[in-house]
Amino acid sequence: MAEQTTRMKTVCIIGGGLGGLMTGALLTKEGYRVTVLEKNGNIGGGLQGFSRKGHLFDPCMHVFGGLQPGGNLRAILQHLGILDKIKLEPYHDTLVCGDERLTLPFGRDAWIDAIGGGKHNEELNAYVDALYRLSDSEDLFNMRPSNGAPHEVENISAKELIERHISDHDLRQRLTFILHLYDGRPDSPALLHALTSVLHIDGIYSFVSSAQTMAQALADIITAGGGCIHTGSPVTAIEADGKQVTAVLCGNERHTADQYVGSISIGALLNIAPKGAFSPAFRNRIKSAEQCCSAFCIYAILKPQTMKQENASYHILRRGANPWDMATTQPDQWPHNMFLMTRSDRGDKRYADTMTIVVPMTFESVRPWEDSTLGHRPAEYRQWKEQMTAQAMHMAQEALGPIETEYIEAASPLTVRDYNGTTHGTCYGLHTSVDNLAYTTLSTRTRMENLFLAGQDVNFHGMVGTSLTAVLTAETIVGRNVIVDQINRERKQTILTIWKLLK
Ligand SMILES: Cc1cc2nc3c(=O)[nH]c(=O)nc-3n(C[C@H](O)[C@H](O)[C@H](O)COP(=O)(O)OP(=O)(O)OC[C@H]3O[C@@H](n4cnc5c(N)ncnc54)[C@H](O)[C@@H]3O)c2cc1C
């Protein structure tokens, strides 16, 4: 009896990416012993870094917001006690289109002045008001306790939002620089556009060395709390008895816990989940759901001292290209746009040493080789990759001038699919549509009483979205607002301490 009352509650998490590790760290803080099962040899999923010739690259986590004083991500990292363990530096969105180059400062007023070039302030003010109003409708985004009921927001698309407020054609184009960060399409919800835009207006950051530092910091919380992380452990099946999950299987290994969290792509989870966990209608809905596009990525080591280091998050748009069709499937028109960033890591901070380019690309482009696996792709695929690399590098050089590389490597949607285990190598999970919002957002609960969902498919993707969903998932297990209330108490305490010090 005594043993029963003191036994730690346990949770088993499938997927050791940001969603799984963040949910695990939050639950560890709530007294759970957490086991994370990760299919890859490394933890991190989208937080995973890799090294080439002594240089570190981040394939899936480049820039993100929420870190300004009072920001949602900052509050979560502070709550977990790891803010000072992760080295971050500010990056500035820099829009490049033809000869135009525009660097956007942080903060609402300065941002408006810069993006409008000192003109259109009235229209821009109304537009940015609308962005903040929309983002304010999300309790968790603002770290407010919630009663679980969604706030009413006008159901319009991102495109309609821009066109409603902005009359100038060029300014409309400029405001679409953000689209590739959520795979914006004509039917993407204004809310998604607003959340992404507000994060960027408030300020974006990148890791000084690698996103892997964050994966490690989260993993350390879990292991320090008595939990464990198993890498090289793909979950192949989930066993259930009635409405209870009883175990998850990694080949011959069986892991049991009180609660279970699936933090992998929902499509992959359906393949291993017991029949009763999801209704046939839900399964059909997910099968027919559209995915956000994938990406073609280039990782380059630059010749020493050939390019100045700017902490810039470049958004390069081909002049005349349709920004609402970023992942164009027309090979001769590809790329329409790209994200590009550089890092300095050889010691002389004035110069860039590595470059990462991310170009939206649909899975259709790699369909001919979809049955191939990592390390076993045919020669034809490799030739195609070289051609795509040349096209992307050509566009980057047109925008930024000559780029001298020492080493260059590319990854396609097949690489993203096979490393992250996502459907069609999607960057941001399920595509959400304003025409069918309820259909394209998921609950953290399943039909199983002790199986919950986390990860980017549930709500909102990216560093901030997936971290906020982790709070939601953990609160589904420990109780509504339990973590948000703690975070707010901690914030008040910090303000009080600073106030006392200043007095
Ligand atoms: C090219 C690219 C660039 C991006 N850039 C940014 C950016 O700059 N900023 C930003 O905020 N977001 C960015 N994102 C999005 C961001 O990476 C994701 O939203 C985030 O990493 C999602 O986290 P997750 O935990 O849901 O999924 P993941 O990080 O993919 O984690 C899922 C984990 O589950 C594991 N897994 C899968 N199947 C199994 C199984 N059967 N058993 C065990 N483990 C399994 C996978 O190996 C993986 O580690 C980018 C994404 C891509 C692809």
Side-chain angles (χ1 to χ4, degrees), residues 15 17-19 37-39 45-46 60-63 235 264 455-456 462-463:
L18 171 61
L37 303 170
E38 166 54 47
K39 82 169 170 58
C60 302
M61 197 58 83
H62 307 110
V63 290
V235 173
I264 61 178
Q456 67 175 358
M463 174 68 98

Side-chain angles (χ1 to χ4, degrees), residues 3 6 21 58 99 130 136 152-153 176 198 200 213-214 275 285 360 374 386 427 446 487 499:
E3 194 190 306
T6 54
L21 293 173
D58 285 330
D99 297 335
D136 193 50
E152 281 291 313
V153 288
T176 57
V198 161
H200 280 250
T213 52
M214 173 142 166
K275 247 191 170 162
R285 168 181 149 191
L374 276 171
E386 273 174 31
C427 287
T446 69
I487 287 177
W499 188 75

Side-chain angles (χ1 to χ4, degrees), residues 82-99:
I82 55 171
L83 185 60
D84 55 352
K85 297 207 171 105
I86 303 162
K87 288 216 170 76
L88 299 157
E89 56 188 339
Y91 265 62
H92 283 277
D93 284 320
T94 303
L95 285 43
V96 186
C97 184
D99 297 335

Side-chain angles (χ1 to χ4, degrees), residues 7 10-12 33 35 245-248 255-260 450:
R7 188 179 75 87
T10 54
V11 62
C12 180
R33 195 168 67 233
T35 301
V245 168
T246 48
V248 294
H255 297 268
T256 58
D258 301 319
Q259 317 280 0
Y260 299 82
N450 60 345

Side-chain angles (χ1 to χ4, degrees), residues 14-20 37-40 42 44-48 59-64 181 233-236 263-264 268 272 295 297 339 358 416 419-422 425-428 454-457 461-464 466:
I14 307 165
L18 171 61
L37 303 170
E38 166 54 47
K39 82 169 170 58
N40 287 344
N42 261 340
L47 290 180
Q48 227 177 131
C60 302
M61 197 58 83
H62 307 110
V63 290
F64 43 90
L181 301 176
S233 299
V235 173
T236 46
S263 189
I264 61 178
I272 55 174
C297 306
F339 165 87
V358 181
V416 182
Y419 269 107
N420 292 1
T422 51
T426 175
C427 287
Y428 311 132
Q456 67 175 358
D457 273 343
H461 66 276
M463 174 68 98
V464 170
T466 310

